[in-house]
Amino acid sequence: MKLLKLTLAVALICLVSCAEKGSRDTAEKETAVTEAPAEKAFKYWTWITADPERTDDSYQEEFAKYKDNGLDAVLINTNTDPELLGRLTPLARKAGLEVHAWLMAMNRPGDSVALQHPDWYAVSREGKSCFDHRPYVDYYQWLCPTRKASRNHVLGLVEGLAKVEGVASVHLDYIRFSDIFLPIGLLPKYDLEQEEELPEFDFCYCDVCVAEFEKIHHKNPREMENPALDIEWKQFRLNKIRAVVNDAYEIAHKHGKILTAAVFPYPEMADHMVRQRWDKWDIDVVLPMIYHNFYNEEIDWIGFATKQGVQDLKYKDTELHTGVYVPEMSPSEIKEAVQLAKENGAKGVSFFDGPALTDDMLQAIKETKEGR
Ligand SMILES: [Zn+2]
C-alpha cells in the first residue's frame, strides 16, 4: 500500500510537471524520482461547479486566476459528465492545476437514470422514499447504499469519471446518509429543533436494508422502539457506506487515479450527524468540510477538528486536507485558517468555493503560500 502510494505520488508529480512544461520546480521532480520522497508541499485546492455553456476562454481565465494566486488543484463538479470533464481537464492542467472529478455520490437529485427506478431510493423510518419525499431541501434525493442496482449505478458514475484522461482523483461528495442531525447553525434556517433522531430524517428502512440487517442480527429496525440506541443498526449503515467507498477506491485505482472525498469535520462527528465513519475507509485523501460557521464555532475550531481527524488517521496512509467555507470569512481569517490547518497536521487546505473567493481573499491565500 505504502509502495503503491509512493509510486503513484511520483507518477502524479511527473504528470503535473510534464503538463506544466517546466513552470514547476523541476528539482522537486528529480528529488522525488531519485531519492526518498521530499516532504510534499502544502496543497491548496478549491471546489468549482462547471457550466457547460461557458466558453473555454472564460475557464482559462478562471484557472489562471487560481494558479496565479497560489492554488494547486481544482475539484470540478460536472454533474457526472465525463465529456465536460474531458473538455475542462486539459484547460486546467495547461494552467498548471491538478484536476479532481467531484461528484455527488449517494445524493443524486434529478438523476435521470435513477429516476427510472423508484426502488433505488432511501426510505425513512416513517416509510417515505426520497424518490418522492425529500428531507430538508429540494435537492436531497438519496439513494440506498445497500441495494445492488443503486450502488452499482453510483459506482458506474465513479468509473465514467475515473476514465477521463489527466484527472488526478475521483472525489466523492455526499458519500453518506441524509443528515440525521443538521449542523446546529443551519437549524434556524429550516425552523427545526432536533434533540433526538427524528423518524423523517432517519434512513434507510427499505425492504432490502431491513432484510439484510435482520439476516445478520435477527432483529427488525422497523420494530425497534428507539432504533437510535441499537449500535448494530448504526454500524450496519456505517458499513454500507464504507463498502461503496472501498469499491470506488478499487475502481479509481484500476484506472490509475486516486480516491478523495469531501467528508464531515471529524470521524465521530460525521458518525453522529450523517452516519459516515471516514477514518475506516480505503481512501487516499479526505477533505473534511471544517466549516466552523455552520456549527456556530469560532475559528480556532478549525485547528481542533483538523487535529482530531489527523490523529484518527495516524496509522493509515490517508492524507487530510482541511476544507474551509470562505463566504463568511475575512481575508485575515482565511490566513488564520490556513495556519491552523498547517499547525494541526493537515497536508493542505481546500476553499469552498472558487467563485466565492474575492480578490482580497485570493491575495491573502497567495501571501500564505509565499510564507507571508
Ligand atoms: Zn435501503
Side-chain angles (χ1 to χ4, degrees):
M1 178 81 168
K2 268 247 152 62
L3 186 66
L4 177 67
K5 276 207 68 169
L6 178 65
T7 320
L8 252 164
V10 172
L12 278 174
I13 288 165
C14 292
L15 274 173
V16 173
S17 301
C18 298
E20 286 174 22
K21 295 205 169 72
S23 68
R24 179 176 260 241
D25 182 0
T26 46
E28 184 188 343
K29 182 182 163 192
E30 281 160 22
T31 317
V33 173
T34 53
E35 294 169 19
E39 189 70 16
K40 273 200 270 175
F42 191 80
K43 192 188 277 188
Y44 289 63
W45 320 50
T46 191
W47 285 279
I48 64 164
T49 296
D51 171 2
E53 305 298 319
R54 275 180 56 189
T55 62
D56 286 3
D57 283 352
S58 86
Y59 276 107
Q60 261 159 349
E61 204 177 303
E62 184 178 355
F63 294 142
K65 180 179 77 176
Y66 296 146
K67 183 66 188 175
D68 290 346
N69 287 287
L71 291 167
D72 305 294
V74 277
L75 301 125
I76 309 180
N77 175 14
T78 56
N79 204 9
T80 54
D81 179 353
E83 212 171 296
L84 179 56
L85 187 66
R87 187 191 127 202
L88 299 183
T89 298
L91 301 176
R93 291 193 47 178
K94 202 172 155 206
L97 297 168
E98 207 176 81
V99 177
H100 299 265
W102 167 23
L103 84 148
M104 292 175 75
M106 301 318 301
N107 180 27
R108 305 275 324 143
D111 181 316
S112 58
V113 175
L115 284 171
Q116 307 305 310
H117 307 273
D119 60 319
W120 286 7
Y121 289 85
V123 174
S124 73
R125 185 163 21 127
E126 277 187 325
K128 291 179 180 163
S129 167
C130 282
F131 175 69
D132 50 12
H133 196 90
R134 303 176 181 200
Y136 304 111
V137 281
D138 202 38
Y139 67 87
Y140 262 19
Q141 209 172 18
W142 297 83
L143 299 180
C144 170
T146 304
R147 287 175 183 258
K148 217 177 189 165
S150 49
R151 71 192 301 286
N152 283 349
H153 172 60
V154 173
L155 292 169
L157 297 170
V158 167
E159 182 143 37
L161 297 175
K163 283 179 178 167
V164 175
E165 204 186 316
V167 162
S169 90
V170 177
H171 181 71
L172 305 174
D173 195 3
Y174 293 92
I175 179 68
R176 57 182 179 89
F177 284 87
S178 180
D179 319 52
I180 185 75
F181 292 110
L182 273 194
I184 194 159
L186 300 184
L187 286 172
K189 190 176 157 194
Y190 298 103
D191 196 20
L192 267 176
E193 275 183 40
Q194 288 183 324
E195 292 174 354
E196 58 184 330
E197 294 195 357
L198 298 170
E200 64 197 291
F201 305 122
D202 187 11
F203 296 88
C204 174
Y205 290 73
C206 80
D207 292 345
V208 173
C209 282
V210 168
E212 202 174 304
F213 179 79
E214 239 183 330
K215 203 173 157 199
I216 306 168
H217 296 291
H218 324 293
K219 45 189 175 183
N220 184 337
R222 284 180 190 147
E223 290 163 7
M224 291 172 188
E225 201 168 314
N226 188 354
L229 298 178
D230 194 285
I231 304 300
E232 284 78 30
W233 179 225
K234 180 153 88 170
Q235 192 60 46
F236 176 86
R237 292 175 286 178
L238 294 172
N239 288 351
K240 286 300 170 191
I241 295 295
R242 186 184 62 181
V244 174
V245 174
N246 291 359
D247 284 354
Y249 178 90
E250 294 299 329
I251 291 167
H253 281 246
K254 188 175 85 187
H255 293 284
K257 312 293 161 47
I258 62 168
L259 189 72
T260 62
V263 294
F264 268 53
Y266 56 90
E268 291 87 347
M269 189 170 180
D271 171 320
H272 174 72
M273 300 186 71
V274 297
R275 314 207 192 286
Q276 178 193 61
R277 192 63 202 241
W278 48 260
D279 55 329
K280 313 277 189 185
W281 294 351
D282 292 343
I283 190 152
D284 300 284
V285 182
V286 284
L287 284 71
M289 299 172 280
I290 306 185
Y291 299 169
H292 66 291
N293 16 37
F294 284 26
Y295 302 97
N296 299 342
E297 296 288 349
E298 293 161 50
I299 198 156
D300 62 351
W301 184 78
I302 293 175
F304 162 77
T306 297
K307 190 174 187 179
Q308 199 66 39
V310 167
Q311 282 172 342
D312 289 328
L313 297 172
K314 197 169 158 190
Y315 298 108
K316 295 187 69 121
D317 289 333
T318 308
E319 282 184 11
L320 185 150
H321 296 237
T322 299
V324 294
Y325 184 76
V326 299
E328 290 159 31
M329 292 170 81
S330 67
S332 68
E333 283 175 326
I334 289 182
K335 279 185 149 178
E336 205 179 334
V338 170
Q339 196 53 33
L340 285 162
K342 246 186 212 173
E343 282 170 9
N344 287 284
K347 302 282 188 206
V349 63
S350 188
F351 305 99
F352 188 87
D353 62 356
L357 290 167
T358 62
D359 290 346
D360 288 347
M361 291 175 182
L362 286 164
Q363 179 63 27
I365 291 167
K366 188 178 183 179
E367 286 175 14
T368 66
K369 184 90 173 188
E370 292 165 354
R372 284 191 278 159

